[in-house]
Amino acid sequence: MGANGKLQVPNQPIIPFIEGDGIGPDVWSASRKVLDAAVEKLYKGERKIEWKEMLAGEKAFNQTGEWLPAATLDIAKEYLISIKGPLTTPVGGGIRSLNVALRQELDLYVCLRPVNWFKGVPSPVHHPEDVNMTIFRENTEDIYAGIEFKMGSEEVQKLMHFLKTELGVDKQIRFPESTALGIKPVSKEGSQRLIKAAIQYAIEQKKPSVTLVHKGNIMKFTEGGFKNWGYEIAKEAFGEQVFTWMEWEAIKAAQNEEAANIALKKASVEGKIIINDCIADNFLQQILLAPKDFSVIATLNLNGDYISDALAAAVGGIGIAPGGNINYTTGHAVFEATHGTAPRFANTNTMNPSSLLLSGVMMLEYMGWNEAADAIVESLKTTIKRKRVTIDFYNLMHDATLLKTSEFAEELIKNL
């Protein structure tokens, strides 16, 4: 990171990668070939990525006895940007999730999930083309903090005693002898840095709105706090660049709804980012009924988990959904496939590499190598339009040509 807060990328950066478990090696091999081909073609050899493997997951455990070696974290910290395939979560204790551990250790507070439809991709909804959203999901607090205690444990008994004797909330716990407990931390600082990043993205990408999705009608101090702190940072950090729903409400109260709507329309015409909010359950309904109404989404961790996968389903499934985990202050970023390891299909050379490949596209965009990123996206559109696809799309298309993972990568390179 430069002193100006901007990422400084050389023409031949070293980028660490984790190939992943299960289908990871297959989808990584295909993705790497396409990424390299796009960079070579678009920059005529002036730019090139030097790949550096780092170990995590089953491969790391088999070679080192550790699921997430300290050396891997050191490499990820040193080189700032990395990319990874899907990882197995060890069973029976230890690390709760390798993915979560990486995000926590590097303080990757934004889980960035862009969701849009590629023409020709089979979808269960009538108008998948209306889905064009970017989700900023808080990545370090809420359930990802991992604070929970097992039923019957000493920790639960201590916490239960404290809740009863110090806070007087024992009546809300209906079955104390058979209850596990979890704590949901949501901070003002953590919420505002996430929401600030979402608004900054909306401004830079000329998006029309940022919607704060929350369950503040029930959890008034955590999820409700997220909403309130969001409106607060919007005005504090961006001033006249935004128009908030709170301003709309204030104008309505002082004058009338017509005046508030006129102010909202004026703000939109002037290019201001509209900041509004939506209750999480209603939002999950609205993304099916009126997806055009939403653009950039800022939300807490659990809500973001549900929303990301629901929207991915609307545009063709998680197999084509990319993801990135970013700290916009330090520059650290890990881009990753959003699907699982699918061990049943390991080494079959049959799975769709698009999730990991499009995560690589996000990585190129983060680096400022937009020409190569755009070329890959256009190639993917062309390849899908020609119905030359892997098994997941082939089973849902009429008159398609079935390609193996490696053949799909070759087709993408041909269409660059």
Side-chain angles (χ1 to χ4, degrees):
M1 290 293 283
N4 61 354
K6 300 293 184 182
L7 204 62
Q8 310 297 308
V9 182
N11 283 339
Q12 295 178 331
I14 299 171
I15 296 184
F17 71 91
I18 299 169
E19 65 177 5
D21 300 324
I23 63 172
D26 283 349
V27 297
W28 168 245
S29 176
S31 299
R32 176 175 172 171
K33 287 175 183 176
V34 178
L35 291 167
D36 284 340
V39 170
E40 169 66 27
K41 182 164 187 173
L42 270 295
Y43 304 119
K44 314 297 183 186
E46 292 182 7
R47 290 177 175 175
K48 182 182 179 182
I49 295 172
E50 300 291 342
W51 300 105
K52 177 181 179 68
E53 185 172 14
M54 56 184 184
L55 298 177
E58 289 181 349
K59 188 172 184 178
F61 185 77
N62 292 337
Q63 292 188 23
T64 70
E66 297 180 277
W67 291 94
L68 184 60
T72 294
L73 290 173
D74 290 341
I75 292 169
K77 289 175 183 176
E78 180 180 356
Y79 291 93
L80 291 187
I81 297 175
S82 54
I83 188 168
K84 58 175 281 297
L87 289 176
T88 298
T89 294
V91 177
I95 296 174
R96 291 167 60 92
S97 164
L98 295 173
N99 296 325
V100 173
L102 280 167
R103 296 167 191 169
Q104 294 280 0
E105 286 290 331
L106 298 173
D107 194 25
L108 304 175
Y109 61 86
V110 171
C111 179
L112 186 64
R113 293 283 293 270
V115 185
N116 51 67
W117 182 64
F118 287 87
K119 187 175 182 178
V121 172
S123 166
V125 300
H126 290 299
H127 294 287
E129 69 277 7
D130 289 347
V131 177
N132 185 6
M133 299 183 214
T134 304
I135 303 153
F136 280 71
R137 168 190 174 195
E138 206 291 319
N139 219 13
T140 60
E141 298 188 321
D142 197 4
I143 63 166
Y144 264 35
I147 307 172
E148 63 172 350
F149 305 102
K150 186 178 179 181
M151 180 196 78
S153 67
E154 183 181 349
E155 293 85 357
V156 153
Q157 292 171 10
K158 286 181 179 179
L159 186 52
M160 197 78 72
H161 178 75
F162 175 79
L163 292 172
K164 179 178 180 179
T165 60
E166 299 293 329
L167 299 182
V169 297
D170 54 309
K171 290 182 180 179
Q172 285 96 314
I173 302 173
R174 293 180 179 273
F175 308 104
E177 299 303 318
S178 59
T179 293
L181 290 173
I183 296 175
K184 172 191 179 77
V186 177
S187 71
K188 180 177 181 179
E189 181 180 0
S191 298
Q192 289 191 334
R193 66 178 182 173
L194 179 280
I195 294 164
K196 187 176 178 181
I199 298 172
Q200 186 63 50
Y201 173 88
I203 291 171
E204 291 173 355
Q205 299 297 320
K206 297 184 175 7
K207 300 290 186 178
S209 66
V210 175
T211 302
L212 311 174
V213 179
H214 61 92
K215 192 63 178 169
N217 57 327
I218 301 299
M219 291 174 278
K220 300 183 185 301
F221 305 120
T222 51
E223 306 250 348
F226 179 85
K227 180 196 80 167
N228 294 334
W229 298 326
Y231 281 123
E232 181 182 296
I233 195 64
K235 293 309 293 182
E236 283 183 4
F238 300 99
E240 293 303 311
Q241 292 177 284
V242 302
F243 181 88
T244 73
W245 205 244
M246 305 292 274
E247 291 176 87
W248 185 93
E249 293 280 5
I251 296 170
K252 179 185 174 184
Q255 301 179 49
N256 52 52
E257 187 169 335
E258 182 181 357
N261 287 336
I262 290 172
L264 176 62
K265 186 174 182 180
K266 182 174 182 287
S268 180
V269 169
E270 291 173 350
K272 293 184 179 182
I273 307 300
I274 309 303
I275 312 296
N276 53 30
D277 71 276
C278 189
I279 301 296
D281 46 343
N282 182 42
F283 181 78
L284 287 167
Q285 178 180 213
Q286 292 305 315
I287 59 176
L288 294 176
L289 298 175
K292 279 186 175 180
D293 291 348
F294 303 100
S295 179
V296 178
I297 312 304
T299 190
L300 287 164
N301 186 273
L302 184 58
N303 297 331
D305 206 0
Y306 298 149
I307 290 164
S308 297
D309 282 13
L311 283 171
V315 297
I318 204 165
I320 199 169
N325 305 280
I326 303 170
N327 184 317
Y328 286 99
T329 304
T330 65
H332 286 102
V334 178
F335 297 90
E336 63 182 356
T338 59
H339 54 70
T341 59
R344 185 159 62 98
F345 300 103
N347 304 312
T348 61
N349 193 27
T350 58
M351 294 292 99
N352 189 341
S354 296
S355 175
L356 186 55
L357 176 60
L358 288 171
S359 299
V361 167
M362 291 177 65
M363 181 188 75
L364 293 175
E365 292 171 342
Y366 186 65
M367 294 162 56
W369 293 14
N370 295 308
E371 300 85 358
D374 292 344
I376 294 172
V377 171
E378 289 304 313
S379 175
L380 187 58
K381 288 179 180 178
T382 299
T383 304
I384 292 172
K385 186 178 179 181
R386 292 176 179 173
K387 297 185 177 182
R388 297 182 63 79
V389 293
T390 48
I391 187 69
D392 53 335
F393 291 166
Y394 173 82
N395 285 337
L396 299 171
M397 288 180 169
H398 180 66
D399 291 335
T401 300
L402 177 61
L403 301 179
K404 291 187 175 295
T405 308
S406 56
E407 293 171 337
F408 186 65
E410 292 166 6
E411 193 73 14
L412 289 170
I413 292 169
K414 186 175 77 173
N415 292 332
L416 282 170

